[in-house]
Amino acid sequence: MPTYVVHYAEIGLKGRNRSDFELCLAENIRTQHPAVQKVRRLRGRMVVEAEAGIDLRGVFGIAWWAEVDQVPSDLGAIREAVLRAVPQATTDGVRTFAIRVVQGDRVLAMTSQEVETELGAAVQAEIPLEVDLSAPDLTIFVEILRRNTFIYTEKFGGPRGLPVGASGKMMGLFSAGIDSAVATYLMAKRGARIELVHFYALPNGKIAHERKVGGLARRLLAYLPQLTIHYLPYHAFQLATADLPVQLRRQELVVFRRFMARAAARLAVEHGALGLFSGDNLGQVASQTLENLAAVDAAIQMPLFRPLISYDKQEIIDLGEQLGIFEIAKRPYKDCCSIIARHPATVAKPDRIEAIESMIGLEELLASVLAERESVRLESAAPLVERWLDPEDLRETAVH
Ligand code: ATP
Ligand code: MG
């Protein structure tokens, strides 16, 4: 059964809450990898046993991990495991090696350096390798804890960050474009449990889900234990603003942005989320001037985080490509924001915004749009579980 040692990123710094963070990470490892049979918490690390090989690159909170040989912590057993590790690793021209010993617990009456020397000599007695401590071809890592010792030769980098769920819940404004997809990844990386709100211009939420949003969400699920998406229709807003006088037209987009933020804030309160986030970026498009972003914030009573505020487009695309989400995110899609205004105002005008909002009957419009919501929950267990929810199910999530 493959066994892994997992070292955490910042969890180590969390003092009193450390145990909560560890439990959250352990649960995410299980949920995201159904092959996992057992997760044990040891001092400052975890041991994971799985019935098949797993790749932990998608579990936030992990600094690095290694597949290990696990043996009892006595020198004889450790020596044998080290010797086992060498031939496996010397197939492709390995000439030099080093042993790195870390003693998490003091069980051998020797310093780590003495153990390294002893194990190094044992290797050299069997195999003609030279010791090179600065740039060895092969490093054999030996992590000695009270009961067990872990031997490994390769470390894999994790995504770092905090375990999803450790920082509470956030409601994201998700357009299915690259910016809000990358923003979702970044907020999850800081430990936020995520729910998303998507406004569609298609006939219904299920079609929007099938057309694009669901496909992108499934990719993001590589980094999340679960994801809920709320679909809200854009049509009612479109109808309500159909007859706006020309002099108000250019403020319509910022009014819609405020409308989306308000709807998301309502859902956030309902579901226990303390903040919103979006893929906004300062100055990237006309609607993202500081004036317009501020006008959106002024419409709601909770923080709206914008993790991409300082990124440039290429940085966002590069990250999206690295995450395997760019291909889907750039696919064409009927996008409500592009329907609205070809030339939106760059400066929000509070009096005009107010005029539009009173003209369209904001409160009733909001209530009717929220009443038409369709919600789906995706769980990252394999095979993927995707379940459309009724309001009862949503009440359950709010309690969590
Ligand atoms: P993205 O790549 O995320 O679509 P963008 O650069 O295209 O962003 P806009 O389309 O102006 O910029 O949208 C800015 C932000 O507003 C988005 O990142 C998203 O958070 C939110 N947003 C836009 N359209 C929608 C929508 N249809 N549903 C939910 N949120 C949306
Ligand atoms: Mg967009």
Side-chain angles (χ1 to χ4, degrees), residues 13-203:
L13 305 174
K14 297 291 170 191
R16 219 153 42 85
N17 297 330
R18 181 162 169 161
S19 168
D20 292 344
F21 282 77
E22 287 176 348
L23 289 172
C24 188
L25 177 60
E27 190 180 319
N28 293 348
I29 291 173
R30 282 176 198 279
T31 316
Q32 291 181 242
H33 295 281
V36 168
Q37 298 285 299
K38 203 158 114 189
V39 181
R40 261 187 305 144
R41 291 193 290 148
L42 297 177
R43 204 145 44 112
R45 68 269 275 160
M46 278 175 204
V47 180
V48 176
E49 289 173 16
E51 61 188 6
I54 53 172
D55 179 341
L56 293 169
R57 264 177 302 180
V59 184
F60 287 121
I62 295 178
W64 58 268
W65 85 95
E67 186 169 353
V68 301
D69 192 354
Q70 177 180 224
V71 299
S73 289
D74 75 71
L75 201 53
I78 296 171
R79 190 186 300 116
E80 275 172 39
V82 166
L83 290 174
R84 268 201 300 278
V86 178
Q88 279 172 16
T90 46
T91 42
D92 41 4
V94 172
R95 311 261 288 275
T96 59
F97 80 111
I99 309 248
R100 300 263 178 246
V101 170
V102 175
Q103 300 193 75
D105 295 299
R106 259 312 172 82
V107 275
L108 307 176
M110 298 162 80
T111 65
S112 296
Q113 208 185 347
E114 285 165 348
V115 183
E116 285 168 357
T117 309
E118 163 90 25
L119 295 173
V123 169
Q124 287 185 305
E126 301 265 331
I127 302 152
L129 289 181
E130 262 176 59
V131 173
D132 178 348
L133 297 181
S134 51
D137 297 331
L138 167 71
T139 304
I140 303 165
F141 300 93
V142 179
E143 235 175 276
I144 305 173
L145 299 184
R146 186 147 37 104
R147 237 185 306 144
N148 288 314
T149 292
F150 305 101
I151 293 93
Y152 50 93
T153 53
E154 202 174 357
K155 290 183 181 186
F156 298 98
R160 310 193 76 89
L162 299 171
V164 170
S167 304
K169 195 191 277 179
M170 281 194 197
M171 189 67 69
L173 285 154
F174 193 69
S175 66
I178 185 64
D179 295 2
S180 40
V182 170
T184 302
Y185 169 89
L186 290 174
M187 293 287 62
K189 183 174 184 184
R190 295 313 303 165
R193 195 191 303 283
I194 307 276
E195 295 195 12
L196 300 173
V197 181
H198 175 76
F199 274 82
Y200 59 86
L202 291 160

